[in-house]
Amino acid sequence: MMDDISKTDPEVYALLKKELERQQHGLEMIPSENNVSKAVLQAMGSVFTNKYSEGYAKKRYYGGNQFVDEVELLAIERAKKVFNVAHANVQPYSGSPANFAVYMAVCQPNDTIMGLHLPDGGHLTHGFKASCTGQLFNSIPYHVRKDGYIDLEEVERLAMEHKPKLMWVGYTAYVREFPFEKMARIADKVGAYLAADIAHISGLVASGVHKSPSPYAHIVTTTTHKTFRGPRGGIIMVTQKGLDKDPELANKIDKAVFPGLQGGPHDHTTAAIAVALKEMMQPEFKTYCEQIVENSRALAKSLMGSGMEVVTGGSDNHMVLVSLTKFGKGKGIFAQEALDEANITMNKNTIPGDPSSPFYPSGVRMGTPSLTTRGMKEKEMELVGKWIADVIKEIKDFELPEDKKEIGNYLKAFKEEIKENKKILEIRNSVIKLCRKFPLYPGFDVLR
Ligand SMILES: *Cc1c(COP(=O)(O)O)cnc(C)c1O
């Protein structure tokens, strides 16, 4: 029972080691990923995972919660301070359950809601039809303009016409400042609740590197991973503006989370959220977030200098979207697979007005949070941008077959071919060399 995992479960241990190797020797550029601190890992791998604590602090269903209460209250106090909000619930299991709780708190089934269309950069839980939020509610999506910016004129027109109960501002693939103030003006005009989903940018908001939604939105949701740099989890916050609109809003949110949608909170996650929030309050975190944006801009510049087309021509946050349409449609999958072969991880993504489909989109999305955590700066971004462009040039002539049934075999053959590509192998070697200079967990064995 008390034995080390390396002895009790060599199979899982071997996988842990391989995953650490992979993370160590690759450039993690999926913008929603990051590397947490040793302290966050320690809180997550702690005895708090043994506890059941349905309910809220001082109002639990089970005994033995005196220390869970303290750690949850600590996380709540820190969240309120960091995000400048009146109320925080730190129990949501992740970002999607946090958003579901918002619906549960302020909507009835079939109520009208508005969010950015998923292929335009919105999130599934903002009313996309594949998500239950698009099936249980009357979802009216808004869009980005051809130039990649939110189409606020369309938002206003649709809001006036459909009078939504709830509007979402907050995105998954959007490289410019989120328009909290302008969305609030529209939401206030039609009497809608405005929920800001800052999952991607919460670290930037906490450190003041991105404008805060706190004065504008009624509700703010976030994941606690991504730029937050904590464990996988979620937080729902109610602003003073939210309480002014509806004094019962904080209660409604708490009731929606428990008992509305969840049972016992993940106390080990709560402890790790508290730790991550303390890290966010340190001056180093602001420097970190400023560097994320500097790196993102340097990366966009390097990509454009190498002939790549960057959506909106740059970035205000941690993310860069590259359109591959100048090479043809649906090229995202080839770029993603070839970059993976070079140990550069990112994801295929739709771009504004994508001529292909969300499953085979025409762009790639990349971000700088993880590389910045490792200590990389503008100089490295310039190199990485060139490597990415070089890999993309190797795949530009591959075409998706028109017949959907042929796509599987074609991609299989493509992957075999790309494995032998000399240029890509060369870039992989350079990537590994760079990664060795920026160790993930210097001087600390995370498997112990
Ligand atoms: C990541 C994300 C979520 C969902 O988070 P999960 O933890 O994956 O459920 C919700 N909204 C936005 C905008 C996101 O980027």
Side-chain angles (χ1 to χ4, degrees):
M1 167 85 179
M2 300 308 285
D3 269 347
D4 195 89
I5 187 173
S6 62
K7 299 198 184 72
T8 63
D9 197 336
E11 282 162 292
V12 170
Y13 182 65
L15 292 171
L16 275 173
K17 280 216 302 211
K18 281 188 186 163
E19 175 61 12
L20 178 60
E21 264 291 299
R22 188 193 68 81
Q23 292 186 12
Q24 175 60 54
H25 292 119
L27 296 172
E28 185 49 73
M29 298 189 73
I30 295 174
S32 41
E33 294 190 16
N34 211 334
N35 319 303
V36 301
S37 68
K38 173 180 172 180
V40 168
L41 283 177
Q42 285 175 321
M44 257 190 292
S46 72
V47 291
F48 274 122
T49 198
N50 295 337
K51 193 70 199 98
Y52 236 111
S53 37
E54 283 181 338
Y56 290 102
K58 322 280 185 208
K59 293 174 282 186
R60 308 280 184 184
Y61 283 76
Y62 304 135
N65 273 306
Q66 57 271 47
F67 303 116
V68 165
D69 280 3
E70 279 190 50
V71 89
E72 189 172 317
L73 290 172
L74 198 55
I76 290 169
E77 278 320 303
R78 288 177 182 173
K80 283 164 63 175
K81 202 158 164 193
V82 163
F83 292 100
N84 185 27
V85 290
H87 177 79
N89 184 312
V90 297
Q91 292 194 5
Y93 297 146
S94 208
S96 304
N99 289 352
F100 296 151
V102 171
Y103 288 96
M104 174 107 187
V106 303
C107 293
Q108 298 290 320
N110 299 321
D111 274 353
T112 297
I113 62 113
M114 280 179 68
L116 183 66
H117 198 36
L118 176 124
D120 288 51
H123 193 260
L124 277 167
T125 56
H126 299 178
F128 193 58
K129 54 187 176 308
S131 150
C132 76
T133 61
Q135 296 171 25
L136 300 178
F137 303 98
N138 174 35
S139 170
I140 308 290
Y142 59 90
H143 302 84
V144 291
R145 303 183 309 218
K146 272 207 188 71
D147 63 5
Y149 287 79
I150 304 292
D151 188 346
L152 289 159
E153 278 171 30
E154 183 201 43
V155 176
E156 178 151 18
R157 186 167 47 75
L158 291 174
M160 296 297 283
E161 185 182 335
H162 297 281
K163 300 279 188 297
K165 188 81 162 284
L166 170 68
M167 295 174 74
W168 289 98
V169 53
Y171 317 110
T172 264
Y174 192 66
V175 297
R176 292 300 179 180
E177 188 169 277
F178 292 9
F180 298 132
E181 194 171 353
K182 291 188 173 121
M183 289 292 294
R185 200 180 47 75
I186 299 170
D188 290 345
K189 207 162 146 183
V190 299
Y193 284 100
L194 182 67
D197 178 349
I198 58 169
H200 259 271
I201 57 161
S202 54
L204 308 183
V205 167
S207 55
V209 170
H210 188 291
K211 187 182 229 173
S212 167
S214 175
Y216 309 109
H218 305 105
I219 301 166
V220 180
T221 65
T222 184
T223 51
T224 52
H225 38 294
K226 308 189 187 180
T227 54
F228 196 113
R229 212 162 57 174
R232 314 196 74 78
I235 303 183
I236 309 174
M237 295 167 271
V238 177
T239 62
Q240 190 53 52
K241 181 175 170 180
L243 289 181
D244 292 344
K245 177 178 170 70
D246 179 356
E248 278 305 301
L249 192 54
N251 267 338
K252 287 180 185 171
I253 292 286
D254 284 352
K255 275 196 192 137
V257 174
F258 174 86
L261 284 162
Q262 297 188 170
H266 296 174
D267 299 320
H268 58 304
T269 303
T270 307
I273 289 173
V275 172
L277 282 163
K278 175 143 190 195
E279 290 175 6
M280 291 167 104
M281 293 162 149
Q282 308 309 312
E284 295 81 14
F285 191 79
K286 184 173 164 93
T287 315
Y288 164 63
C289 289
E290 285 166 349
Q291 191 64 49
I292 288 179
V293 179
E294 290 304 320
N295 281 354
S296 180
R297 292 193 166 135
L299 179 69
K301 196 167 151 216
S302 168
L303 285 160
M304 290 188 288
S306 304
M308 294 294 121
E309 194 185 315
V310 167
V311 173
T312 76
S315 171
D316 289 335
N317 54 30
H318 61 301
M319 190 190 299
V320 176
L321 255 179
V322 172
S323 164
L324 304 169
T325 46
K326 67 186 247 191
F327 306 120
K329 61 175 187 177
K331 302 269 180 183
I333 180 78
F334 299 114
Q336 178 185 314
E337 295 285 352
L339 285 159
D340 231 2
E341 205 53 51
N343 287 14
I344 303 175
T345 319
M346 63 178 69
N347 62 285
K348 61 187 160 80
N349 214 92
T350 45
I351 44 133
D354 202 309
S356 191
S357 67
F359 211 73
Y360 293 109
S362 306
V364 277
R365 182 186 77 147
M366 62 197 81
T368 55
S370 163
L371 303 194
T372 310
T373 293
R374 293 178 79 158
M376 295 185 196
K377 298 212 161 86
E378 288 91 331
K379 196 172 100 210
E380 286 76 31
M381 295 308 112
E382 198 185 325
L383 258 179
V384 172
K386 283 203 186 96
W387 290 338
I388 293 169
D390 284 347
V391 171
I392 288 172
K393 283 170 193 161
E394 294 298 307
I395 59 94
K396 69 179 174 24
D397 296 328
F398 289 91
E399 295 280 352
L400 274 182
E402 289 291 334
D403 185 349
K404 282 216 174 77
K405 285 189 288 250
E406 287 171 28
I407 291 182
N409 277 335
Y410 185 84
L411 283 176
K412 225 159 128 191
F414 162 76
K415 277 186 222 173
E416 286 307 313
E417 197 176 328
I418 219 74
K419 274 199 174 77
E420 309 292 321
N421 183 301
K422 288 236 164 56
K423 181 83 202 169
I424 293 176
L425 283 175
E426 205 182 293
I427 292 172
R428 173 163 67 190
N429 285 333
S430 310
V431 165
I432 292 172
K433 258 194 218 141
L434 178 68
C435 287
R436 289 219 171 99
K437 283 204 273 177
F438 295 91
L440 263 187
Y441 292 102
F444 165 53
D445 182 355
V446 289
L447 302 180
R448 289 282 143 194

